[in-house]
Amino acid sequence: MNDVTVRRPLMWVSEGATDVGTVRPLNEDSFLCQPEIGLWTVADGMGGHDGGSVASQMIVENLSQLSRKSNLDAFVNDIENSVTDANNCLLEYSRLQLNGRIIGSTFVSLLIKGNVGVCLWAGDSRLYRFRHDKLSQLSRDHSHVAELVSEGLISEEEAKTHPEANVITRAVGTSERIDIDVDVFDVRVGDQFLLCSDGLYNAVEDDEIMQCLRESTLDSSVNNLIQTALNNKASDNVSVVLVKGIHQNVSV
């Protein structure tokens, strides 16, 4: 056998689901799975009827119009421009249709090209990586309590029950300028990436998330994540997108 390693092509498979939860009358979350171009998104809207759902759907619909780019930087720019366009449209929609009432949506997107992953986000929807049985949060919440934790003023445990735990500091559609954070990382076969709204991680502990991610299929993992959140009386909408890297001749 020679010293040339033949690498089988890596492909990314995904499943997604959303649920209204156990308290809210409306589901204002939206999600997008486009494995054919390597793009996945979860958006968590806010603003009630004709507000939050419009905001999250607009982000997802804009992103669904994108096509694959051979250049990674160009693809990232397209995503940023698409979300910026959604931001501008939501401001106009609010002004014309809702008397200026504030509406908006957080979002988190995962872009994968080759062995590179890119996370783009605004707000507190999250991206996690599950690798070698370890769960890591790759995004960083744009929230008041996250700032307090980073400044060492409160602990992560205290943040969960803080009276301002639901105060976010960034969202699409809430101001003239939207700042999108971008992080780049490597991706490997066997990696699982979890995109979710805060309705999931506020209701499901990390140990429970990992237990669900150990399921044999993505579909069962997604269903168990949603069901665990509901069993734990999720007080918000719950959205989950799960992405896994496999060799092309491996079934899931």
Side-chain angles (χ1 to χ4, degrees):
M1 189 169 178
N2 61 32
D3 60 356
V4 176
T5 300
V6 177
R7 296 189 180 275
R8 287 177 292 170
L10 186 62
M11 66 180 293
W12 296 90
V13 292
S14 58
E15 293 286 345
T18 185
D19 193 279
V20 71
T22 64
V23 174
R24 299 290 180 90
L26 301 171
N27 192 343
E28 298 179 87
D29 287 0
S30 301
F31 72 90
L32 176 70
C33 292
Q34 287 193 300
E36 65 277 9
I37 66 170
L39 179 63
W40 300 265
T41 298
V42 164
D44 180 356
M46 56 188 183
H49 183 64
D50 287 337
S53 59
V54 170
S56 66
Q57 288 169 14
M58 187 174 293
I59 292 170
V60 163
E61 287 171 5
N62 277 19
L63 291 173
S64 71
Q65 303 303 312
L66 299 181
S67 56
R68 182 191 295 272
K69 289 288 190 297
S70 58
N71 181 276
L72 182 61
D73 287 341
F75 207 159
V76 170
N77 286 337
D78 279 358
I79 295 171
E80 291 178 314
N81 290 337
S82 178
V83 175
T84 298
D85 286 344
N87 186 75
N88 296 336
C89 289
L90 287 171
L91 290 171
E92 184 73 357
Y93 177 83
S94 171
R95 185 179 68 82
L96 295 177
Q97 304 293 330
L98 303 176
N99 257 350
R101 174 162 59 90
I102 293 178
I103 63 171
S105 178
T106 70
F107 91 100
V108 59
S109 288
L110 169 65
L111 171 64
I112 295 179
K113 184 171 177 56
N115 63 351
V116 178
V118 184
C119 178
L120 303 95
W121 77 100
D124 62 354
S125 291
R126 290 181 178 177
L127 174 68
Y128 292 91
R129 178 176 60 203
F130 189 54
R131 174 186 286 176
H132 302 320
D133 209 44
K134 179 181 178 182
L135 188 69
S136 304
Q137 182 181 338
L138 299 184
S139 58
R140 297 173 298 280
D141 296 350
H142 298 134
S143 67
H144 181 54
V145 293
E147 292 177 356
L148 295 177
V149 170
S150 68
E151 293 168 5
L153 298 176
I154 62 172
S155 67
E156 291 190 5
E157 282 302 311
E158 290 171 326
K160 294 178 181 179
T161 56
H162 194 278
E164 296 182 345
N166 63 339
V167 177
I168 59 174
T169 57
R170 202 181 301 182
V172 182
T174 59
S175 62
E176 292 293 333
R177 172 175 171 172
I178 176 64
D179 292 317
I180 300 169
D181 276 4
V182 180
D183 195 21
V184 181
F185 43 86
D186 73 296
V187 298
R188 306 174 188 174
V189 66
D191 280 351
Q192 290 189 68
F193 293 97
L194 168 65
L195 299 86
C196 63
S197 59
D198 64 338
L200 178 79
Y201 64 77
N202 283 335
V204 185
E205 297 291 336
D206 285 1
D207 286 347
E208 294 176 299
I209 291 176
M210 289 190 291
Q211 188 61 41
C212 293
L213 295 180
R214 296 185 185 111
E215 292 289 334
S216 58
T217 67
L218 291 188
D219 186 56
S220 59
S221 290
V222 168
N223 289 337
N224 282 357
L225 285 166
I226 296 284
Q227 192 57 53
T228 302
L230 297 178
N231 292 345
N232 293 348
K233 309 300 182 187
S235 60
D236 202 350
N237 308 145
V238 182
S239 293
V240 170
V241 169
L242 191 57
V243 184
K244 185 177 183 179
I246 64 169
H247 288 307
Q248 287 194 9
N249 60 347
V250 177
S251 62
V252 294

